[in-house]
Amino acid sequence: MKGFKSFADNTVLEFEPGVTAVVGPNGSGKSNVVDAVTWVLGAQSTRALRSAKMDDVIFAGTANKAALGRAEVALTLDNSSGRLSIEGAEVTISRTLFRNGDSEYAINGTTCRLLDVQELLSDSGVGRQQHMIIGQGQLDSILNSSSENRRAVIEEAAGVLKHRRRKERAERRLSATQENLERYIEAHRRKAVS
Ligand code: ATP
């Protein structure tokens, strides 16, 4: 992260397998770490980033540090399993935003569109609506929601949603084919009768 929210200086965090806990006093920027992950994966809503407008994510300066002109976050994922369909044992996704509103995405340093990032991630279960970032305070609302909603959240987190969507797509295609077939048979039957 560089210039993202409270991270004015270049900051590198390593997430090892397992649980990573970020500890610090209130307002020290713990949630900004989560925001950085949300942002680099393509978040478009300012609400998801706890800010009023998108350029609020750019370091705004403090009493002894000047504001910066751009926010940058790069997320390097271990791809030794080949789960992401791109060559290389590591994949780096990055996002940059300038104060004039210009924004840029890159995969392994090559500029790309947001769509390319979304497509790269979508087959791995990390894509839009397929990964789960549960912020502070959201846990309560999940625990208190209806069992249907809770099921949706759990299925999404467990990666079932991707398969369910595929199944629904396949079912739609099958039923369209079935209708076509019936129309075809009916047309031939009429022809045979006449
Ligand atoms: P809490 O414990 O209340 O959740 P936290 O440790 O998670 O707090 P965050 O809410 O992540 O803290 O961080 C808020 C801090 O980030 C504040 O000090 C705020 O001033 C700072 N901050 C947020 N956006 C920017 C920005 N664009 N430029 C500079 N500082 C920022």
Side-chain angles (χ1 to χ4, degrees):
M1 296 171 285
K2 188 168 191 294
F4 183 85
K5 290 206 168 186
S6 50
F7 298 96
D9 299 321
N10 205 7
T11 308
V12 179
L13 301 177
E14 292 208 12
F15 300 99
E16 298 295 332
V19 175
T20 300
V22 183
V23 182
N26 280 351
S28 60
K30 301 184 297 290
S31 307
N32 294 345
V33 176
V34 179
D35 295 341
V37 176
T38 310
W39 191 69
V40 73
L41 292 176
Q44 298 300 302
S45 105
T46 47
R47 206 167 63 95
L49 300 160
R50 305 178 303 135
S51 50
K53 33 188 208 336
M54 200 38 109
D55 69 1
D56 282 347
V57 301
I58 304 174
F59 177 69
T62 58
N64 43 25
K65 225 176 177 94
L68 292 173
R70 73 166 89 163
E72 295 174 72
V73 176
L75 181 71
T76 299
L77 301 167
D78 175 4
N79 192 36
S80 48
S81 64
R83 200 165 164 192
L84 297 173
S85 49
I86 189 168
E87 277 193 25
E90 285 190 342
V91 179
T92 300
I93 296 164
S94 43
R95 179 173 182 180
T96 309
L97 178 74
F98 298 87
R99 283 220 182 269
N100 65 7
D102 285 351
S103 106
E104 221 169 69
Y105 290 88
I107 296 174
N108 287 340
T110 306
T111 306
C112 65
R113 300 163 304 170
L114 167 62
L115 190 66
D116 298 318
V117 173
Q118 287 167 341
E119 280 185 354
L120 174 70
L121 298 172
S122 69
D123 268 346
S124 65
V126 193
R128 197 162 47 143
Q129 294 172 3
Q130 288 172 342
H131 60 275
M132 271 281 129
I133 294 178
I134 299 170
Q136 284 182 84
Q138 284 179 321
L139 206 54
D140 250 15
S141 66
I142 293 167
L143 294 174
N144 292 327
S145 67
S146 70
S147 52
E148 275 294 300
N149 286 346
R150 210 158 44 225
R151 178 191 165 142
V153 171
I154 291 166
E155 281 189 350
E156 204 163 322
V160 178
L161 200 67
K162 182 176 80 180
H163 300 291
R164 184 137 50 131
R165 291 228 172 103
R166 275 193 194 152
K167 184 177 163 221
E168 284 164 4
R169 257 202 315 270
E171 279 172 353
R172 274 199 302 276
R173 264 190 231 131
L174 270 176
S175 92
T177 307
Q178 180 73 34
E179 278 168 25
N180 280 343
L181 193 65
E182 277 160 16
R183 268 201 298 275
Y184 179 81
I185 293 170
E186 179 62 19
H188 272 259
R189 206 175 51 83
R190 284 215 193 114
K191 217 163 144 192
V193 170
S194 62

